Amino acid sequence: KIFNDRWMSSHGFSPAQAGSTVGDALGNHSEGEFFHVRAEDSVSDALRRMVESDISIAPVLSAPQPVVLGEVIGSVDRSTLREIFENGDASASDPVAEHLGPPLDLVGINESLDTARNVLATGDAVLVMRDGKPVSLLLRSDLLLHYPA
């Protein structure tokens, strides 16, 4: 076996699970176009867009969408960007590529909501994959809205 089942599933190659899936939780998010920051965007532009969109963390892309996973070069966290800007460790014109955080975790579009919940236990967002390509961003708040109270 070349690829293990977890890898296949998290990269969106597995068939749909029984019950509600990550795809169900995407709601109004369209596949293929998702909130992101470009590597060359300035710290100030990234912060402004993240605040306007109420996004706390975003993937950083090295190419225009649609992208392949290799073009997702990391992530930026709004509070971290604000902190390094206020501390003088970053200037407003710095490209965000100079201040990257780790890549977001991955979840396959056909994976169960329980799997997504487990992956989101340590972060605010995950990158949703279909057939090995990033297609959407799933926020913890999207998942919370999908679960019954």
Side-chain angles (χ1 to χ4, degrees), residues 100-112:
L100 288 179
L104 297 175
D105 288 327
L106 307 177
V107 67
I109 196 158
N110 291 323
E111 289 193 274
S112 71

Side-chain angles (χ1 to χ4, degrees), residues 72-94:
V72 181
I73 61 171
S75 66
V76 289
D77 180 279
R78 185 171 72 192
S79 60
T80 301
L81 277 183
R82 184 178 289 131
E83 183 180 312
I84 63 173
F85 177 70
E86 290 171 353
N87 291 342
D89 295 328
S91 72
S93 61
D94 282 355

Side-chain angles (χ1 to χ4, degrees), residues 28-144:
N28 294 331
H29 297 288
S30 63
E31 278 189 52
E33 295 289 327
F34 53 89
F35 187 91
H36 66 282
V37 175
R38 292 287 304 271
E40 66 273 9
D41 288 348
S42 69
V43 167
S44 63
D45 285 343
L47 276 171
R48 178 187 50 76
R49 289 186 50 235
M50 292 174 82
V51 168
E52 287 172 356
S53 299
D54 197 26
I55 298 285
S56 62
I57 191 166
V60 178
L61 309 182
S62 64
Q65 289 185 357
V67 294
V68 295
L69 187 56
E71 294 168 321
V72 181
I73 61 171
S75 66
V76 289
D77 180 279
R78 185 171 72 192
S79 60
T80 301
L81 277 183
R82 184 178 289 131
E83 183 180 312
I84 63 173
F85 177 70
E86 290 171 353
N87 291 342
D89 295 328
S91 72
S93 61
D94 282 355
V96 295
E98 294 178 9
H99 306 285
L100 288 179
L104 297 175
D105 288 327
L106 307 177
V107 67
I109 196 158
N110 291 323
E111 289 193 274
S112 71
L113 289 182
D114 286 339
T115 299
R117 185 181 67 218
N118 291 337
V119 175
L120 282 165
T122 58
D124 291 331
V126 293
L127 204 53
V128 178
M129 304 288 290
R130 179 191 293 274
D131 299 329
K133 295 182 177 123
V135 294
S136 191
L137 188 64
L138 181 69
L139 308 175
R140 182 182 290 159
S141 58
D142 297 329
L143 196 59
L144 293 173

